[in-house]
Structure formats: structure tokens, C-alpha cells
Amino acid sequence: MSTNKPYLFSAAELFDRISQGPDFVLLDVRNEKDFANWSVEGPRFFPYINIPYFHFMENVRDSLAQIPAGEKILIVCAKEGSAKYVADILVDNGFADVGYLEQGIVGWGNLLVSRRVNPASDPYHLYQLNRPGKASCSYLLVSGREAMVFDPSRNIEAYIELAASHGATIIRTFETHRQADYISGGPALVEKTGCLNGANRTDFEGADFSYGAVENNDTFGFAEGGPEVKALHTPGHTMGSTCYLIAGQYLLSGDTIFINTSGRPDLGGKWEQWARELYLSLMLRLRHLDDEIVVLPGHYTTWEEADQELLIRGRLGDLRRQVAAFRQPNEKKFAEFIQENMRPQPGVYAEIRRVNGGWLKVSPEEANIMDLGKNECGASNYGKVGVSAEVLRQ
């Protein structure tokens, strides 16, 4: 029996190892359905295999025979325990370098990776916090001793700690819209820091928490100067969808514009009406914005949308020329484009919308389950036309 012991690694460490050039095999020991529904993705491809943990319980020898010998093995499971169980088996059978993921796939799902967007010469800091497990992005803007957050996830400590690293405290948090694919950390940030919460009333009418109503062309600033934040109402993905223009240079577009498509306008069940509003937002309400403005979206589909710095961003002029949602010649053609790219939304989205309005209370454990899985917020298909990932959860 080997004297080695398996080691615990964090989601952040896994992301770093993927980004720096994978030198391992990732072994996912969840069942086949969960693995097919949602798996670990990163900016580089890596050897990734699936052998459910119960196979090791039933036939250790055959299971071990499927694992490449002499390789570093990193193991992922749902919550951590099954990965530890399999890791012990591998070490006992001669594998020398074996680790297992802390908190399992839930830890991966909650990971936030921060990267600065604007040049170091600027007197303020704008960060994109990428959530690889959700393929979503939130943002932190720091100026002086104050910070603002946009579309926070439930991992609120990441924003608090990043702001604190600059000697700043969070004074405001904003929602670009009422999210359907993940549970917002906005109310928790308010409770933890005492910051103000801002959102468009259309999406949050009757919400069971306090917030400040954000109107079109409202501006927000910092006590000691700093960049101006301007709200631009861009209905379509939801009727309250709002973009935030920072310093006239960076457009936090929420789910209105992505790097390869637009948001989907059908989540509220009124796709034809909302598609028209989305078309007008893209073609009319944002028409005055300069082509050089950098779009920073709320989601992405694949890591192919990232640039060399692993940032999800694009020049507005480039998106206007390249993204199909901008290239439809009229309202009717845009509606056809949307209809061709629609698919059933995950059933859990209705519950998440209720949570984000404060009307449904869930435990942290329930929230972790609801939050799992890649977003399906864009007008584009991840797989078969008309098939939602939610179908695979049944």
C-alpha cells in the first residue's frame, strides 16, 4: 500500500492549472447524466474523463484500468466526499499524484476569477469577475476608497475582499436586470456592507427587499470624483434591462449584448413583444454610442470569446459588424432570428426569478443546487435545437 496521501485543491487552483497549461487528467466521478449536463470548462482543453464513483464500488480493477497510468489525476465529484473516496483508492493502488476538488462541483460553480479591464494608468480600477462554472461575468469598479458592484453572484466575499485590497468599501451594488440563471448576491451585499442597491423598477416591482429605482440616463459617482456611471435602459432581454456606461468608455451590457449574440427575449413568456424591444435597444437606444466603446457582457457561451488576457470583451463597432443580432435588416428578420434560436428555458429559471425578487426563500444548500449549470441566456443554441439542458436533469 502506498504511503502517499491524496491532497485537497481549490477551484481557484484548478482554474490556474487549466490556464497555465494542463499537466493532469481530470477525472469526474459524478454520474453520467450530471456529467453530460454540466462539466468543468476552461480557457484551455485538457484530458477529461468520466468514471462514476459507484463503478469503483462495484469493480475497482476495471475502473482503475480506465485511468491513464503514470499521470497526475485530479478528481471532481458533486460535493467532495466521493472524490476523496476515489482518490484514496487510486493512491492505495499506486497512483503517486492524486488530488480531489474542495467542495466538489459546487466549489467550481461558485468560483470567481478577477482580472482588471482598464489600463493601469487610469486613476480607477475596473475588474471583470469571471464565473467559469456559470459562464457569467460580474464587475467591480473602484475609485478612491469606494467601490461599486454590478450583477454580483452569491460569492459576495470575493467582491468585498477585492475592494478591500484597494482600501475601499462597497457603497453601491447594481442589477442590470432580474437574473433568471443565477441567484443574485445583491441583497446579501446590502446586508453585509450596508451599501445601496440599485435596479430598474420594471424588473423589481414589489420586490421583498429595499432598492433604489434606477431610471434611464441616471448618473452615479464617487465622493472623491472618479468615473461617471450612467444607466441606459435597454429593454428586451427583460423589460427592465439596463446597461451601465462607465467613464464613457466601458459598457456593462448585462444580457442585452454578448460577444457572439444578443440576449434571449423569451424568458418572460412574451418573446414577440420583447424581441421587438430588444431590436429597438440594439438598433436605436444604443445607436448614439461610439464604436470604440468596450462592451463587457454578463455572459459568454464558450472560452473562444475570451481575448489573450482571458477577458470577455469586444469593441462595440466590431460587434455591430460581426454579431448576427446586429446584422438583421429589419424588425421582422430580427424576430425570425430570435425564433430560430429559441429553445425551452430550464424550469429552475422561474424559481430563480422568484428568489431574486425576494418572494421565494431558499437555504444555502438549495441555492447551490439551483445555481448549478451553465447559463442559457443567449439567443443561440448550446446543443440540439429546441433542447434545454434542463431536460437532462429530469
Side-chain angles (χ1 to χ4, degrees):
M1 181 175 292
S2 172
T3 58
N4 292 330
K5 292 184 178 181
Y7 59 89
L8 194 66
F9 62 91
S10 68
E13 290 170 329
L14 176 57
F15 183 84
D16 287 342
R17 291 183 69 166
I18 293 172
S19 303
Q20 293 168 7
D23 62 349
F24 58 85
V25 174
L26 189 64
L27 169 61
D28 199 316
V29 297
R30 293 175 297 150
N31 64 56
E32 290 96 336
K33 182 194 295 184
D34 289 342
F35 177 72
N37 181 45
W38 181 52
S39 55
V40 173
E41 296 181 18
R44 290 174 182 250
F45 289 103
F46 50 90
Y48 193 2
I49 61 177
N50 174 226
I51 307 173
Y53 77 94
F54 55 81
H55 287 187
F56 289 88
M57 300 174 67
E58 296 170 351
N59 194 322
V60 171
R61 179 176 296 179
D62 286 354
S63 298
L64 290 172
Q66 299 178 57
I67 303 173
E71 299 291 341
K72 300 175 184 178
I73 308 296
L74 302 184
I75 308 176
V76 177
C77 71
K79 296 181 179 178
E80 185 181 315
S82 298
K84 172 67 164 59
Y85 170 80
V86 173
D88 287 334
I89 291 177
L90 264 61
V91 167
D92 289 344
N93 283 272
F95 285 83
D97 193 331
V98 181
Y100 59 100
L101 179 61
E102 182 179 14
Q103 299 181 340
I105 202 72
V106 170
W108 177 258
N110 289 326
L111 172 67
L112 293 175
V113 179
S114 63
R115 281 185 166 76
R116 184 170 178 173
V117 174
N118 63 321
S121 56
D122 284 346
Y124 63 91
H125 297 75
L126 176 58
Y127 288 95
Q128 182 178 81
L129 288 93
N130 190 316
R131 188 179 176 189
K134 181 61 68 175
S136 67
C137 299
S138 52
Y139 298 88
L140 179 78
L141 176 64
V142 182
S143 181
R145 298 180 181 179
E146 297 177 326
M148 300 179 185
V149 183
F150 302 82
D151 285 340
S153 73
R154 290 186 304 117
N155 185 6
I156 62 172
E157 294 302 326
Y159 308 99
I160 295 171
E161 292 172 5
L162 184 54
S165 72
H166 292 283
T169 57
I170 295 171
I171 61 167
R172 290 184 181 274
T173 180
F174 294 96
E175 302 288 345
T176 60
H177 63 292
R178 182 152 59 99
Q179 303 283 351
D181 64 296
Y182 68 85
I183 296 174
S184 170
L189 263 179
V190 172
E191 182 177 351
K192 179 84 171 184
T193 69
C195 68
L196 301 175
N197 194 359
N200 187 285
R201 185 184 291 108
T202 305
D203 277 6
F204 290 89
E205 188 72 45
D208 190 28
F209 52 82
S210 61
Y211 68 95
V214 175
E215 304 289 345
N216 187 45
N217 291 325
D218 280 354
T219 58
F220 305 89
F222 296 88
E224 301 177 4
E228 178 187 79
V229 176
K230 185 175 183 179
L232 302 174
H233 185 209
T234 53
H237 176 66
T238 66
M239 291 308 290
S241 286
T242 300
C243 297
Y244 292 90
L245 182 62
I246 296 174
Q249 296 179 283
Y250 301 96
L251 184 70
L252 309 189
S253 63
D255 289 15
T256 297
I257 309 171
F258 300 142
I259 300 303
N260 67 353
T261 188
S262 67
R264 56 188 293 184
D266 62 302
L267 296 182
K270 301 178 181 179
W271 81 265
E272 291 178 288
Q273 175 187 340
W274 288 17
R276 183 175 193 275
E277 293 296 333
L278 181 56
Y279 173 77
L280 292 175
S281 288
L282 296 176
M283 305 306 296
L284 178 63
R285 298 183 181 108
L286 295 177
R287 184 173 60 184
H288 65 287
L289 296 183
D290 190 272
D291 279 352
E292 292 304 307
I293 284 175
V294 176
V295 174
L296 299 168
H299 290 295
Y300 56 98
T301 304
T302 73
W303 276 98
E304 292 178 358
E305 295 165 53
D307 63 17
Q308 292 184 342
E309 298 177 54
L310 299 186
L311 285 163
I312 311 297
R313 59 182 174 181
R315 299 281 179 186
L316 182 55
D318 293 336
L319 302 189
R320 284 168 169 159
R321 288 186 290 270
Q322 298 168 6
V323 174
F326 277 108
R327 305 302 299 166
Q328 303 307 312
N330 55 54
E331 176 186 346
K332 184 177 183 297
K333 290 294 184 182
F334 182 82
E336 291 174 357
F337 161 76
I338 292 297
Q339 190 171 24
E340 289 170 359
N341 283 278
M342 286 197 308
R343 61 202 177 283
Q345 63 179 291
V348 72
Y349 278 17
E351 294 182 354
I352 292 176
R353 284 195 291 269
R354 291 177 61 206
V355 172
N356 285 336
W359 306 301
L360 176 64
K361 310 298 182 183
V362 296
S363 68
E365 292 75 18
E366 290 172 315
N368 277 333
I369 294 172
M370 294 171 73
D371 247 1
L372 286 178
K374 195 171 182 179
N375 80 87
E376 294 190 47
C377 295
S380 59
N381 294 296
Y382 285 110
K384 295 180 180 178
V385 175
V387 176
S388 165
E390 181 70 11
V391 172
L392 301 175
R393 297 194 181 110
Q394 303 304 316

